[in-house]
Amino acid sequence: MKTLNAPSHMGAQRLFILIAGLWVGGLLTVGYLVAPAIFSTMTDRQAAGMVAGSIFRLEACLSVIVCIGLIILANLLVKRGLDQFRIIRWLLLAMLFCSVTAAFVFIPWMNSLRDQALAQGMPVMLSPSATIFGRLHGASSILFLLQSIFGIFLVWRLSKNQYQHQQQHQ
């Protein structure tokens, strides 16, 4: 088994860590800073929900793309003997599941319910679909929390490996 500090792969590893760190940082920023700021700033909760929903849709689609790219890079690193990326692939797969579910199930379904309510001239939370919308919102929030936890663990694992590499070269 080769160690993470294989010099021929340092560029790919650094790129992997940079992309993963920026991606997870952006994910956390959107979910735990931007969305709450939107709701605390805007007085119209329906409009705030539409803005936040739009941002979450973009974040989910970007996450699908970044996650697939990182899985491909992790596979390449594992094939080159860097077994530390085996667990990373499982974390990325879990995060991909969260992103795909959000982007292609929860967000479109919630947008459809919101659009139907607006077509009837009412906000979604006052429509007959309010209960299902609330449940979908709760489920998507739990999914985002899981994705955040996986992301934090991903960056933690990557920084652990990087820290060990630095200790070996001091």
Side-chain angles (χ1 to χ4, degrees):
M1 177 172 95
K2 293 183 183 177
T3 61
L4 181 66
N5 61 3
S8 63
H9 305 104
M10 283 307 295
Q13 293 170 33
R14 286 183 174 178
L15 180 63
F16 192 101
I17 292 167
L18 175 66
I19 292 169
L22 290 172
W23 169 45
V24 172
L27 181 92
L28 297 173
T29 300
V30 165
Y32 302 106
L33 293 177
V34 173
I38 290 169
F39 280 95
S40 68
T41 304
M42 296 179 71
T43 55
D44 182 350
R45 292 191 61 76
Q46 178 77 16
M50 291 173 78
V51 170
S54 225
I55 292 170
F56 277 113
R57 182 178 49 79
L58 289 171
E59 180 278 319
C61 291
L62 179 65
S63 286
V64 169
I65 293 165
V66 171
C67 205
I68 290 171
L70 288 175
I71 288 171
I72 291 168
L73 186 53
N75 282 335
L76 176 69
L77 292 169
V78 168
K79 284 180 183 177
R80 291 187 177 173
L82 298 173
D83 291 336
Q84 296 85 339
F85 281 85
R86 288 187 187 279
I87 185 112
I88 298 298
R89 293 186 307 184
W90 287 107
L91 288 169
L92 290 169
L93 190 61
M95 292 180 78
L96 180 62
F97 172 79
C98 293
S99 298
V100 166
T101 304
F104 301 111
V105 178
F106 287 122
I107 293 172
W109 194 354
M110 292 169 67
N111 286 343
S112 173
L113 292 174
R114 184 182 300 113
D115 291 345
Q116 289 172 10
L118 289 174
Q120 295 171 0
M122 65 184 82
V124 70
M125 294 314 288
L126 297 177
S127 75
S129 300
T131 302
I132 187 74
F133 185 88
R135 288 181 181 151
L136 287 170
H137 187 273
S140 68
S141 296
I142 291 168
L143 191 68
F144 190 82
L145 176 63
L146 286 172
Q147 185 178 22
S148 300
I149 292 167
F150 290 138
I152 290 167
F153 190 61
L154 170 73
V155 173
W156 184 267
R157 290 284 303 189
L158 290 170
S159 66
K160 172 186 169 201
N161 291 336
Q162 199 63 10
Y163 175 75
Q164 288 172 344
H165 170 70
Q166 288 172 354
Q167 291 294 354
Q168 291 171 354
H169 286 83
Q170 286 183 352

